């Protein structure tokens, strides 16, 4: 699945972009995903992981 973190399942959020004259148009916020080689079940695999999970140490990087 695209634009979803493999660890915490953080995905795309939708809402309104509000102009100065308060005209509202739909917009999306995408998570900051990085393609990372991580160790899963003892083998290195490629995952899309958000930077919050990388920074908090929820992912063990493969070297």
């Amino acid at each position: 699945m695209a634009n979803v973190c493999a660890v915490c399942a953080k995905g795309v959020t939708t809402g309104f972009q509000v102009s100065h004259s308060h005209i509202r148009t739909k917009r999306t916020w995408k998570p900051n995903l990085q393609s990372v080689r991580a160790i899963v079940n003892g083998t290195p695999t490629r995952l899309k992981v958000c930077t919050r999970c990388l920074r908090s140490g929820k992912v063990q990087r493969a070297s």
Side-chain angles (χ1 to χ4, degrees):
M1 234 169 25
N3 287 324
V4 176
C5 177
V7 177
C8 67
K10 180 186 283 187
V12 176
T13 310
T14 60
F16 286 107
Q17 176 177 323
V18 182
S19 69
H20 181 68
S21 62
H22 207 69
I23 296 172
R24 294 177 305 189
T25 54
K26 292 286 258 179
R27 64 156 293 181
T28 59
W29 287 269
K30 295 180 181 177
N32 188 0
L33 296 179
Q34 304 295 319
S35 184
V36 169
R37 284 183 68 228
I39 297 177
V40 178
N41 296 331
T43 59
T45 56
R46 280 226 176 266
L47 297 175
K48 279 189 175 179
V49 182
C50 68
T51 53
R52 178 71 57 98
C53 290
L54 286 174
R55 194 175 63 188
S56 63
K58 293 181 181 178
V59 178
Q60 184 180 3
R61 305 270 307 248
S63 55

